[in-house]
Each structure stands twice: as structure tokens, then as C-alpha cells.
Amino acid sequence: MAFLNERMETLSRAELKKVQLERLQKEIKRTYDNVECFRNRMDEKGLKPEDIKSLEDLQKVPFSYKKDLRDYYPFGLFAQPLKNVLRFHASSGTTGKRIVVGYTKNDLETWAECAARMLSAIGVTDEDIIHVAYGYGLFTGGFGIHGAAEKIGAAVIPISSGNTKLQIQTMIDFGATVLCCTPSYAMHLGEEVNRMGVKDQLKLKCGVFGAEPWTESMREEIEKSLGIKAYDIYGLTEVIGPGVACECEEKAGMHIWEDHFLAEIIDPDTGEVLPEGSTGELVFTSLTKEAFPVIRYRTRDICRLEYEPCKCGRTHLRMCKPQGRSDDMLIIRGVNVFPSQIEEVLLKTSGGDLTPNYQIVVDRKNNTDTFDVNVEMSEELFADEVRSIEDIEKRITAELRSTLGIGAKVHLVNPKSIERSEGKAKRVIDKRNLH
Amino acid sequence: MITKQLSVFVENKKGRLSAILNLLAENDVDLSALSLADTTEFGVLRLIVNKPELAKKILNESGVIVKITDVLAVVLDDAPGGAAKIIDTLYKNDVSIEYMYAFDTKLTGKAIMVAKTENVKAVNDLLIQNGFEDPSAEDIFKF
Ligand SMILES: [Zn+2]
């Protein structure tokens, strides 16, 4: 198992914390001196950078939010003059105003190193040919992996996204060994490859997939259809881009590169830091970023951190796959429920390749939450016998109970009967009047 | 004989069943037989019609899920014990019936029974060997 930066990746926890504190103090000072928004928030709390004497002191520091990037668009949160900025990346966001971030030379180097640590960790070397089908442009996907591939000296096919047939032909002709793209596009490529009957002409051995949530069932599907090992990568444009956290060959959670990013898990409602091992909202503080430092940035991703040493030898903690966004989370009878969990169950129990359309309906009757899941019937699920349909209903119900820990009523409904807005099915209807 | 049956998924909501039947009537699809198996949540409507492929297409287009299944059709005496005779024969030959229903025909004193079993082809041969009358398409469908 290869390390890109063995010393840093295997530092003892104690040494790692020392590095973190040193860097944190500098990062807070830099941000305080150069970013007005952060300085004002610190001042409001009567905090000075010098008050941060331990890692625990970070808990006193104010949070930052996605909204800040919109409010201070374009450069209000930059901590360096534009003269020192080498590149911008931006994301459109689904709700109007876009956000922009900047990178200095060192930031680009940090980013390339973080993502390159992953490539090394999954056995990619300078012998490999990396097919990058993430979009190149303002989106961080394409350039992020590109930088990492160059860092380890692999050959890059910067094909960007689109034109599936050309993508497949290029992979065959150039002998691509590593595929990087979004997991949903990997699923699509897998289907096409099998439809065209060219799977045995591919030399792919593994793939790096991220930029959108995906499930273990999707991983199995991708691995089977393309005959590769599929690994997860995590990153937010605001934090740096893909590479903040990545899986190693163990596939046992994504290592967060803690010498560059400090992670906390908080209660999304109260903002309190939760004890080790808790599930809550992931919060990041950059430790070495120059142009666009983030301090206690609320990701809205709900996940859990694993502090146990990894079998691969790396000491950096691992984040579990985000279960969902804190905005999407439903609390039903006191239990956290994410639409993504329901999706996973449906994909597993439906026997098809596609997740059936579904809708969650939550209501409150006699002071108890009711929890109904409507699932659209499909040709694949339908059988001539009542008994086998009832079996499907029972299987979904049982699987939901074991996954979520609470019972749901499952109803099979007519296809296309779940209301859609702008082509997307409305996933959650919460009729409770809790606010 | 072996005939084609439409199996239709019916959500248990007011008006679903009549909407399906009206749609078929509007398109001149003639029903010979109808049976509904239902639970509190949903039903499976089984139909023997004169134009199964057309019916499936029409229903699919309106978002209804339909499967075409091969079932067994056999003539029975429209008299006490008529159905029992067939069931008895199947039982003695270890054939289990998944479901069955019967309907009237133009043949006087006779009815037609529809049954779903495993391997309908073999069961059909078995019934003919045992002297049961094989209906013709004319007996089942009105043209
Ligand atoms: Zn590891």
C-alpha cells in the first residue's frame, strides 16, 4: 500500500493534534486580519485570535455558512489580494446566486496533494492512465482530479463530461486504467458499455467517484458493470474541492486529511460539538488555505467520524458516507430519517436497476407521528399474483424497519401518480405543524 | 386451450376500476371474463379480452401497469359438480392451481373455467387426455 506523504499520513494522533493547533492558530490569525466578516463576528463575541490556545478553544469561534458566500459575492471573503490568486472555481447552486472561491499557488498545491494522497492510497501510480470525465471548468471536479493525477505523474485524458460513446471509445483506444466521474455517470457508462458489449476491451481497474451522494448498492452496480473497484471521494468547493476526504483500499470510510482540514461534528440545531462517535453535522476549518480560508464552515452534511486507526496504516480519521443533508433530515418518532436511506432500501428490494419513484408522507395523529411511504408500481415489481405483490410490500416494510429502526406503512401506488414539480418527484410531504 | 389473460395493477382508490373498464370499452375491447383479486391496499384485475395486445397498449399509454399471462381455458358442465371434476383431476395429478374463475359462454349448458397453474401447456394436454373439452376461440370470444 503506497503513501504519497507517508510521514504526514501516519503521524501519531498526538503529533497530528500538535500540527493542527499550530496551523489553526495561524489560519485564524490570517483570516481575522484579512476577512472583515470573520473579524466582525469574532469581535462581537469578544474573541481575539490569541484566545485560541487549544484545539478545544475552536468551539468558541463563530460558524460560517454557505449564505456568507452569497452575501459577500464575489471576493468579500478572500484573505489574499487578487494578485496572489491563480485560479477561481465557482458553483451555481440550485437556489439562484452563485458562489466563487479562489486559490493561491500554495492552495493549488495543497489541493493536488490531498487528492493525490487518495490516488496513491487506492494503488494508482505513474503507470496509470486516468480518464477524467468530470466536467472541466468552474466546477472543481475536472481540475481537482487533474491536478492530483499530474502530481503522481499519471497520464491524464482530460475528456471532461458528455458524449458517452466517444468516452467509451476513448477509454478503449487509450487504454484508460482509472475512471473519474460522478457515480450516476459511472452507472450510465456501465450500462452503455454492456449494451455495446465492449466490457472486455476496457482496461479499467478502479474508479474515483464523487460530487454527488451515492449508495452502497450503486457501488456494487458500478463495480459489477464496469469490472472495477469503485472508491468514494468527498469535497466541497467552499472547502477546497474533491479530495478533502477520500477512501483508501479498505473502503471503510473516507480519510479526512487532518493536517489540512479540521473536522467537527455538531448538533445542527444547537451548534454544540457532539462527543466522538456521534452522528451530526460536519463542520470544517481549513488549516493551511491562503486565498479562501474557511473557519467552522457548516457543510449541512450529516455524518459520523471514525477515530479508530485504519487497517491501511493511516492515522487520519475517517468520515462515514454522509447520510443526507441536515436540511433534508426528518425526525419521525424521535428517529432521524433521511430520504437517501429509503432510496437505498428501495433499490435493494425492487430487484431492478432503477430506484422506484417514492414519496414519504409524515403526519401527526393523536400525538404520534404517522409515517407512510408510497412507492410507484412498475412493470418490474408487478406480478400476476396478489401474493407476490404482498411479498414485495412486506420485504420493503421489513427492510425499512431494520434500516431506520422505526416502522413505516408501505403503499404501492400507480405509476406516475406521485406529484412532480419541474420533472422532479416531490420526495417528502410533512403535514405536521411543528413550527 | 391456452389463452392470453391481462393482469392489471389497480390501486385501491375510488374510480380506478371503472376508469380502466371505460377506457377498454371506448376502444372497442370486448371483455369475455373479469375477475378481481384484491387486498385493502391494491387489486389485481384479470381480464380475458378479444384484443389483448391492443388492450395492453391502450392501458400502458394511460399509465396503467399490465402484464399478459398465459392461462388455461377449459369447458366445464354448467351443472353441480362441473368444476369439482376438473379440480379433482388436477389434484390427482399433483397440479396446484394458483387461481381460477369461471364464466358463461354461448355454448348451452356449458361454462368456461380459467385457471393459472405452473406449466400451462402440460396441464392443458393432461386435461385433454382426461377427456375434457377444449374450447375454441369462438367459444371464448365474441367477434
Ligand atoms: Zn485507510
Side-chain angles (χ1 to χ4, degrees):
Chain A
M1 209 161 295
F3 292 93
L4 185 89
N5 185 341
E6 183 159 4
R7 197 184 73 83
M8 270 304 176
E9 291 175 55
T10 59
L11 275 187
S12 74
R13 294 295 305 173
E15 284 174 294
L16 193 53
K17 285 191 169 171
K18 236 180 84 191
V19 171
Q20 282 189 318
L21 179 60
E22 240 167 65
R23 292 181 172 183
L24 175 69
Q25 287 168 328
K26 282 186 195 149
E27 186 88 335
I28 296 240
K29 175 89 169 70
R30 247 198 319 265
T31 313
Y32 185 88
D33 290 344
N34 295 294
V35 182
E36 195 190 336
C37 163
F38 180 66
R39 185 163 58 246
N40 290 343
R41 283 182 188 164
M42 287 283 279
D43 289 348
E44 266 167 41
K45 287 197 154 195
L47 274 173
K48 293 281 167 226
E50 301 75 57
D51 296 330
I52 308 304
K53 296 194 172 72
S54 69
L55 289 178
E56 285 66 42
D57 286 338
L58 180 61
Q59 297 185 18
K60 302 178 198 158
V61 173
F63 290 116
S64 56
Y65 306 87
K66 178 106 173 202
K67 187 177 178 298
D68 301 339
L69 280 87
R70 297 196 199 103
D71 292 349
Y72 291 86
Y73 180 87
F75 306 135
L77 299 175
F78 280 35
Q80 288 279 319
L82 290 184
K83 182 171 81 67
N84 298 338
V85 171
L86 264 70
R87 192 184 314 154
F88 300 112
H89 277 289
S91 79
S92 57
T94 44
T95 51
K97 242 180 161 179
R98 60 181 184 168
I99 59 162
V100 61
V101 297
Y103 301 77
T104 64
K105 193 168 193 303
N106 286 334
D107 292 337
L108 289 175
E109 177 54 35
T110 303
W111 186 16
E113 153 127 17
C114 286
R117 283 185 192 176
M118 171 182 198
L119 294 180
S120 297
I122 60 170
V124 178
T125 69
D126 55 3
E127 306 275 345
D128 280 296
I129 296 172
I130 306 186
H131 185 91
V132 183
Y134 281 116
Y136 278 70
L138 286 172
F139 171 58
T140 48
F143 279 101
I145 299 293
H146 189 101
E150 288 189 336
K151 172 100 186 161
I152 63 166
V156 187
I157 309 171
I159 192 154
S160 197
S161 50
N163 198 342
T164 303
K165 284 219 174 68
L166 180 69
Q167 296 260 358
I168 293 170
Q169 198 54 53
T170 307
M171 285 195 280
I172 294 170
D173 294 348
F174 295 11
T177 55
V178 182
L179 170 65
C180 304
C181 61
T182 60
S184 54
Y185 192 60
M187 299 259 289
H188 178 63
L189 279 173
E191 277 164 27
E192 272 309 291
V193 160
N194 286 287
R195 208 183 51 76
M196 291 162 68
V198 295
K199 186 174 164 184
D200 54 351
Q201 295 177 45
L202 288 173
K203 292 207 176 69
L204 291 177
K205 60 178 193 186
C206 66
V208 176
F209 307 110
E212 65 184 20
W214 53 310
T215 59
E216 279 304 317
S217 343
M218 283 172 80
R219 167 150 35 205
E220 280 167 32
E221 195 63 40
I222 293 167
E223 295 197 327
K224 205 171 70 197
S225 68
L226 288 169
I228 59 173
K229 285 186 174 162
Y231 298 99
D232 201 357
I233 186 166
Y234 175 90
L236 300 168
T237 303
E238 303 91 292
V239 180
I240 205 160
V244 173
C246 337
E247 277 185 336
C248 62
E249 276 181 323
E250 300 295 327
K251 290 184 190 164
M254 295 177 276
H255 288 283
I256 292 176
W257 306 122
E258 290 182 273
D259 49 332
H260 294 290
F261 306 101
L262 193 153
E264 298 170 280
I265 291 289
I266 64 159
D267 178 327
D269 295 325
T270 64
E272 292 291 319
V273 171
L274 297 173
E276 275 190 17
S278 307
T279 299
E281 184 180 335
L282 182 60
V283 172
F284 277 116
T285 299
S286 63
L287 296 175
T288 54
K289 274 179 85 188
E290 297 177 342
F292 196 89
V294 283
I295 309 292
R296 300 199 88 198
Y297 182 73
R298 305 270 305 246
T299 65
R300 296 280 163 200
D301 283 325
I302 300 287
C303 75
R304 195 174 60 77
L305 302 180
E306 174 66 64
Y307 290 83
E308 286 297 303
C310 182
K311 285 196 195 112
C312 73
R314 290 175 181 80
T315 51
H316 295 234
L317 63 79
R318 287 162 288 155
M319 63 180 272
C320 304
K321 202 182 260 303
Q323 294 173 0
R325 314 272 300 159
S326 62
D327 321 326
D328 301 340
M329 189 177 81
L330 283 160
I331 301 178
I332 305 171
R333 287 172 226 146
V335 175
N336 298 349
V337 173
F338 293 96
S340 59
Q341 294 173 296
I342 288 158
E343 235 156 85
E344 178 114 348
V345 166
L346 291 179
L347 189 65
K348 205 157 92 187
T349 44
S350 66
D353 293 341
L354 286 172
T355 312
N357 245 321
Y358 68 94
Q359 187 170 54
I360 303 163
V361 182
V362 191
D363 202 349
R364 181 160 289 183
K365 282 177 189 144
N366 305 323
N367 292 318
T368 310
D369 293 335
T370 60
F371 176 24
D372 294 80
V373 180
N374 297 326
V375 181
E376 279 185 6
M377 194 49 156
S378 62
E379 292 261 357
E380 291 76 43
L381 289 178
F382 182 56
D384 172 44
E385 285 163 77
V386 171
R387 182 167 25 94
S388 53
I389 301 175
E390 280 181 321
D391 280 349
I392 294 170
E393 232 175 34
K394 278 187 201 138
R395 235 174 37 233
I396 297 174
T397 308
E399 197 67 37
L400 281 175
R401 174 176 284 283
S402 81
T403 305
L404 305 174
I406 55 167
K409 272 204 202 100
V410 174
H411 311 273
L412 295 169
V413 300
N414 264 344
K416 306 212 165 57
S417 65
I418 289 175
E419 79 181 277
R420 285 161 169 78
S421 63
E422 289 166 358
K424 275 188 180 174
K426 214 170 163 211
R427 292 293 180 218
V428 179
I429 294 189
D430 195 340
K431 297 178 179 167
R432 297 171 297 184
N433 255 330
L434 301 179
H435 303 291
Chain B
M1 72 178 284
I2 293 161
T3 188
K4 300 217 177 297
Q5 171 196 263
L6 295 184
S7 306
V8 184
F9 176 75
V10 191
E11 199 185 331
N12 238 344
K13 257 191 199 156
K14 246 194 182 146
R16 288 303 311 167
L17 191 58
S18 62
I20 291 167
L21 297 178
N22 284 334
L23 192 62
L24 293 177
E26 281 161 23
N27 286 279
D28 274 336
V29 175
D30 197 39
L31 302 187
S32 296
L34 174 158
S35 136
L36 180 69
D38 65 347
T39 71
T40 52
E41 288 288 325
F42 64 88
V44 177
L45 177 65
R46 299 181 183 123
L47 303 169
I48 304 288
V49 300
N50 57 345
K51 302 167 195 161
E53 300 294 341
L54 173 73
K56 181 177 192 309
K57 191 171 152 264
I58 293 162
L59 291 172
N60 279 157
E61 279 165 6
S62 78
V64 175
I65 292 176
V66 182
K67 264 198 179 141
I68 294 185
T69 320
D70 281 338
V71 290
L72 214 60
V74 60
V75 176
L76 56 86
D77 293 330
D78 197 1
K85 234 164 68 187
I86 294 173
I87 294 169
D88 207 39
T89 307
L90 294 177
Y91 174 72
K92 278 185 189 138
N93 287 280
D94 269 338
V95 177
S96 56
I97 302 169
E98 287 169 24
Y99 56 80
M100 56 175 282
Y101 51 98
F103 62 97
D104 242 349
T105 73
K106 290 176 283 184
L107 303 163
T108 8
K110 304 276 182 184
I112 290 180
M113 189 182 91
V114 172
K116 175 77 169 73
T117 62
E118 275 183 18
N119 196 355
V120 281
K121 173 95 182 60
V123 177
N124 192 47
D125 293 347
L126 174 86
L127 288 172
I128 292 166
Q129 279 161 25
N130 279 273
F132 288 96
E133 192 183 333
D134 197 19
S136 67
E138 287 79 9
D139 298 334
I140 299 176
F141 306 115
K142 302 163 199 147
F143 290 95

